[in-house]
Amino acid sequence: MPQIFRDPSFDSTLDVLREGYPFLYCRSQRFNSDIFQIRLMGLKAICLHGAEAAELFYNPRLFVRKGAVPRRVQTTLMGIDAIQTRDNGEHRCRKEMFMSLMGPESRERLMSLLAEQWQRYAHRWEQQDRVVLFREAQEILCRAACAWAEVPLPEPEVSKRARDFGAMVDGFGGVGPRHWRGKQARRRGEKWMRGIIRAIRKGALPVQEGTAAHTVAWHREPNGELLDVQMAAIELVNAIRPIVAIATYITFAALALHEYPPYRQLLRNPAEDYPELFVQEVRRYFPFTPFVGALVREDFSWHGFEFAKGTLVLLDVYGTNRDERWWQDPEVFWPERFRQWQRSPYDFIPQGGGEFLTGHRCAGEWITIEALKQAVAFLNDGIRYDVPAQDLTYDLTRMPTLPASGFVMTNVRATG
Ligand code: HEM
């Protein structure tokens, strides 16, 4: 029986924080193995890398999520006991609720709300000396996401709410003040959404059927009960907060346009869906989710390696997207590679892999792709701008990361 290679470090928790995104990837290369073992916060964790291992990880018969997500991630990023931590029928029922919001009409509505906001902001930027794209994109996405969900967002609150959704995401990999800010932001966000859910249920806030606010407020669990108010608030945040998080990819897309100007022309070629290739490469090349975790459901073995019930297993998201066996020259930004991509649900997993309904693959992947395509078209043709000297480096040891300046633009002119 083969033995899983063990990292010699007694406990890797500090190394994960010190090394950031490449931590798992570096070790899978060093040990020349798709599977190895580390200790994390004193517990044994099996680490998996690559498409074949992702296929294993996304087999819902082999893994569960309950108990796998650290509390510090739940109190910032996703909320306590939310869909991400559910299994079996409970998960399926919750996932159907989220996927019901992702149909073509609903997505189109979101895209047209977003288009309106990009236009509005473009004219506003013409009056400003400098614009930090990341912050502006967060507001644009927050306004559109709340309108799409039918969550009223009073004008004076826009900036605060957008920042709070951002802080929830920013808090997941942070320690100290960054983590604390994420927790505070989540507390405020959930309180706000509890008010919304109560108002809808009392009939005081009319919302259309099919919107996120209506769907979550009236969703019934497999036992026929409505979600309790707190859980409904958490899941409503889970429908809006990740839309605001697309600001990170938009900022990276702006960086890619800036660093590789020849793509500006290719993006305008009507003969090919080049924007699709471009945004897929943005999602592959730039880091966002470092890894995801699950617990072994029952004992099983894979290629002779033993997986004991209850063991924590981590899947290397960052490294799988740069696996040389699937991605030639992975450290080169090269959208054309996606012409050959076979659309496997396991070799390209920036938002998780596997199936949507039966697994934990991100419910918002289509929205993310469409919103990114729209933002790239806007940055390419909707405005002209200068990019002054600034620090555009991003730190791989910080999770989540971002170009340090947030991408500053000056002299913005709307073309439309
Ligand atoms: C799950 C990433 C955008 C809703 C996930 C997962 C990742 C992810 C890595 C977990 C996969 C796993 O556990 O195996 C991202 C990134 C986004 C994004 C990087 C871009 C900013 C969105 C959007 C929405 C959304 C726009 C919805 C409006 C969800 C939901 C889940 C999820 C509901 C839980 C799925 C489940 O547990 O079954 N996302 N996501 N995400 N995402 Fe996203």
Side-chain angles (χ1 to χ4, degrees), residues 139-203:
E139 284 189 19
I140 288 170
L141 290 155
C142 182
R143 284 177 188 274
C146 288
W148 171 78
E150 292 208 339
V151 167
L153 175 62
E155 186 61 33
E157 291 183 14
V158 173
S159 169
K160 178 182 94 175
R161 297 299 186 193
R163 247 33 97 207
D164 272 357
F165 285 124
M168 294 176 204
V169 179
D170 200 44
F172 84 76
V175 283
R178 191 145 69 89
H179 176 69
W180 184 80
R181 270 196 300 275
K183 264 171 102 159
Q184 294 292 317
R186 170 157 290 284
R187 282 205 198 107
R188 281 191 294 269
E190 289 176 2
K191 184 170 177 221
W192 176 33
M193 295 302 165
R194 286 196 299 272
I196 302 286
I197 297 292
R198 286 197 190 100
I200 295 171
R201 289 183 180 168
K202 274 199 304 216

Side-chain angles (χ1 to χ4, degrees), residues 58 65 84 91 95 239 242-243 288-289 351 359-360 362 364 368:
Y58 280 106
R65 296 302 177 94
Q84 292 90 341
H91 171 261
K95 195 64 174 279
I243 297 180
F288 203 161
T289 303
Q351 293 174 229
H360 287 269
C362 173
T368 307

Side-chain angles (χ1 to χ4, degrees), residues 67-281:
V69 184
R71 200 175 158 85
R72 54 183 304 102
V73 177
Q74 295 191 50
T75 53
T76 51
L77 183 67
M78 53 184 70
I80 302 275
D81 293 340
I83 178 170
Q84 292 90 341
T85 64
R86 303 283 169 146
D87 299 298
N88 311 327
E90 240 182 26
H91 171 261
R92 172 75 188 233
C93 178
R94 208 66 76 83
K95 195 64 174 279
E96 279 172 5
M97 172 185 83
F98 276 101
M99 295 314 292
S100 77
L101 305 172
M102 304 301 158
E105 268 176 41
S106 172
R107 276 158 31 212
E108 235 168 74
R109 208 164 54 78
L110 178 61
M111 293 311 131
S112 86
L113 288 161
L114 274 168
E116 243 172 68
Q117 294 301 334
W118 284 113
Q119 282 312 319
R120 237 183 98 199
Y121 272 69
H123 292 293
R124 203 191 262 200
W125 296 342
E126 288 180 319
Q127 319 303 321
Q128 295 175 14
D129 293 337
R130 74 196 270 288
V131 164
V132 180
L133 178 64
F134 177 66
R135 293 178 69 85
E136 301 289 306
Q138 280 186 323
E139 284 189 19
I140 288 170
L141 290 155
C142 182
R143 284 177 188 274
C146 288
W148 171 78
E150 292 208 339
V151 167
L153 175 62
E155 186 61 33
E157 291 183 14
V158 173
S159 169
K160 178 182 94 175
R161 297 299 186 193
R163 247 33 97 207
D164 272 357
F165 285 124
M168 294 176 204
V169 179
D170 200 44
F172 84 76
V175 283
R178 191 145 69 89
H179 176 69
W180 184 80
R181 270 196 300 275
K183 264 171 102 159
Q184 294 292 317
R186 170 157 290 284
R187 282 205 198 107
R188 281 191 294 269
E190 289 176 2
K191 184 170 177 221
W192 176 33
M193 295 302 165
R194 286 196 299 272
I196 302 286
I197 297 292
R198 286 197 190 100
I200 295 171
R201 289 183 180 168
K202 274 199 304 216
L205 176 64
V207 283
Q208 299 271 330
E209 215 178 314
T211 59
H214 184 280
T215 304
V216 174
W218 299 114
H219 173 75
R220 289 189 183 272
E221 291 280 72
N223 63 8
E225 302 276 325
L226 291 175
L227 293 171
D228 70 55
V229 173
Q230 168 62 8
M231 185 47 65
I234 286 175
E235 298 299 23
L236 193 48
V237 171
N238 263 332
I240 299 175
R241 183 253 316 145
I243 297 180
V244 180
I246 301 172
T248 297
Y249 276 147
I250 292 175
T251 309
F252 279 127
L255 177 63
L257 281 177
H258 176 62
E259 290 194 334
Y260 313 102
Y263 290 124
R264 285 187 168 266
Q265 205 45 44
L266 290 167
L267 282 162
R268 297 186 186 111
N269 177 5
E272 171 176 40
D273 193 357
Y274 200 85
E276 174 100 11
L277 308 180
F278 187 85
V279 307
Q280 294 293 50
E281 183 68 344

